[in-house]
Amino acid sequence: MTISQLRKQLTAGETTPAKILEGLAGEITARDSKTGAYLSHDLESALAEAAGADLGLPLGGIPIGIKDNMNVLGQPCTCGSKFLENFISPYDATVIKKLRAAGAIPFGRLNQDEFAMGSSTENSALQTTRNPHDHDRIPGGSSGGSAAAVADGTAIATLGSDTGGSIRQPASHCGVVGLKPSYGRVSRYGLVAFASSLDQIGPITRSVEDAALILQAIAGFDPADSTSLDVPVPDYLSGLNDGVKGLKLGVPKEYFGEGIDPGVRRNVEASIQNLAAQGAEIVEISLPHTEHAVATYYVIAPAEASSNLSRFDGIRYGHRASSPADILDLYKKSREEGFGAEVKRRIILGTYVLSSGYYDAYYGRAQKVRTLIRRDFENAFQKVDAILSPVAPTPARRLGASAADPLQEYLSDIFTIAANLAGIPGISIPCGTVDWDGGKNLPTGLQILAPHLGEAKMLQIAKAAEA
Amino acid sequence: MSHSHIDVRYVANLARLELSDAEVAEFQPQLEAILGHVEALSKLDVSGIDPTAHANEIFGRMREDVPHESLSQAAMLQNAPDQAQGQIRVPKVVTDA
């Protein structure tokens, strides 16, 4: 059931927040042992909050699941890592404060790739999450738990975080809606940082309208985040049903080349035709630096990660190695024992590209290519209102399929990464299913990209594409 | 950016990260493959292009200097792996002369 449907039932007195929470807890007990989306949930504290829920608020009495890298006072925040296995948050992230102010109840902690590094949720150090459509497959990553829970019916809606596609790609693989806002639109305060110039928090939902409802609640200026934008938040719901008649929608030729599964291409093209039939003008465009997006990302993101993760030293919180020889040994052993392979790979890569003698060749150059990628979008948005593309080249692959080859996994993010480098918003909406690699009826996703702060029009197009 | 060799153990040490021999053997070819892919950036002409460090060009913005309550000592210490007398305990840092 969607948030909108539940809101009607709540205001009509047909259900209560407590009944909704107990229902979800029952669904988790019944099915989550197979899907593994939840790392933990605290029904008792959620019920205590539900007792005081104000049903007159926009999200009054609605439980929202939270990716395990956002701080909720008194709840665990493991980031899918052994390093933070026993960490309890001493404060609420700004998005949590905003959800509470809109009447929502944060409920449940959802599995993810460790410190949001990965495209499959296989890099969680704590448990395996499976795709609810096919338990032998990945849910996508890094917000795999958040997407799988919504698809599995064990959550009504969730928050994820997106650094290179980590909301849109798992939403696509699980057949739900995932929205990455413009950089600066939603506060990052209280999100455990991975790559600070790329990270954004956004909703994963069952409908475009629900995504708009949650974005409305969490968007806005936050003085606690120095990168937060001090600009008014528009009404994301009022124009939702305005359709696409007269809008120009760009289709980048670089997003339909080799490597894209024919079934994915067919479904995305059918969605584009659907929008054309509703009156949109479809225009072929070019984003010439697309092929360099992954390389640029895998210099910039690990560089920022190596810096951000230096705070995990075993001193103030998290894992500490026992019996270290000295303080340096404590740092090195705590990090060796606490971090998983993908996190270590990225710390080493990031340290390398920032190190003396290599900084200009790697990091400095990647920042300049980032400018070129950003200009591609600026040029495209001179001609079109939004851009349409696949979310991922293939549907969800089998668990373990790319375990030994991280580069192959990195390349699967080719269609989502550029939006993070440019800071523009993107949304993934379900667009049919395909039979692929022995799997049946695997979800595929349509991606809609919009200019910076263009979420309202992006949601309007997404609503039309959803129909 | 003419070579993609990386001394994994040396760089890990810079990052204050101990690695096992097995990890070094695993990461070495993987990181070289990733750096090999990144080499493609060296073919682009970026002369005269300004770098983008951030998607939003906000620099040096300060928040209002308004006093507010900070986290309590108990909240600060609740996740500390080792503590004594209201403080976080660490191994000896200063050595004898």
Side-chain angles (χ1 to χ4, degrees), chain A residues 116-185:
Chain A
M117 296 180 192
S119 308
S120 66
T121 311
E122 292 171 293
N123 297 316
S124 169
L126 303 180
Q127 70 185 35
T128 301
T129 297
R130 296 164 183 274
N131 192 313
H133 296 271
D134 181 339
H135 286 132
D136 291 331
R137 290 177 191 271
I138 59 165
S142 67
S143 309
S146 294
V150 176
D152 204 23
T154 53
I156 294 150
T158 57
L159 291 186
S161 67
D162 190 314
T163 307
S166 286
I167 287 173
R168 290 161 286 158
Q169 185 254 33
S172 173
H173 284 351
C174 290
V176 294
V177 174
L179 188 159
K180 181 202 94 75
S182 304
Y183 187 79
R185 179 83 285 183

Side-chain angles (χ1 to χ4, degrees), chain A residues 133-331:
Chain A
H133 296 271
D134 181 339
H135 286 132
D136 291 331
R137 290 177 191 271
I138 59 165
S142 67
S143 309
S146 294
V150 176
D152 204 23
T154 53
I156 294 150
T158 57
L159 291 186
S161 67
D162 190 314
T163 307
S166 286
I167 287 173
R168 290 161 286 158
Q169 185 254 33
S172 173
H173 284 351
C174 290
V176 294
V177 174
L179 188 159
K180 181 202 94 75
S182 304
Y183 187 79
R185 179 83 285 183
V186 174
S187 170
R188 295 180 296 108
Y189 180 73
L191 167 73
V192 179
F194 158 18
S196 305
S197 81
L198 305 162
D199 298 338
Q200 271 296 283
I201 296 170
I204 297 178
T205 58
R206 281 181 211 157
S207 72
V208 172
E209 186 180 354
D210 282 4
L213 272 165
I214 293 182
L215 181 63
Q216 196 76 57
I218 62 174
F221 177 61
D222 177 15
D225 173 359
S226 66
T227 59
S228 169
L229 287 170
D230 192 3
V231 292
V233 178
D235 183 342
Y236 294 121
L237 291 152
S238 61
L240 212 50
N241 293 309
D242 286 358
V244 290
K245 199 168 181 194
L247 293 183
K248 281 189 181 174
L249 305 180
V251 178
K253 60 183 181 188
E254 292 84 0
Y255 282 50
F256 290 84
E258 278 178 36
I260 176 169
D261 172 68
V264 171
R265 178 198 293 265
R266 193 172 54 242
N267 285 356
V268 171
E269 285 176 348
S271 285
I272 294 170
Q273 287 311 310
N274 171 26
L275 289 165
Q278 293 183 54
E281 184 186 344
I282 308 298
V283 182
E284 188 185 84
I285 58 164
S286 177
L287 298 169
H289 296 97
T290 298
E291 64 173 307
H292 300 294
V294 172
T296 305
Y297 178 88
Y298 279 99
V299 173
I300 291 173
E304 294 184 14
S306 70
S307 172
N308 277 324
L309 269 62
S310 64
R311 75 190 59 170
F312 296 100
D313 54 11
I315 300 294
R316 290 147 297 147
Y317 45 76
H319 177 75
R320 182 184 286 192
S322 57
S323 314
D326 53 31
I327 193 80
L328 191 60
D329 195 43
L330 185 152
Y331 296 151

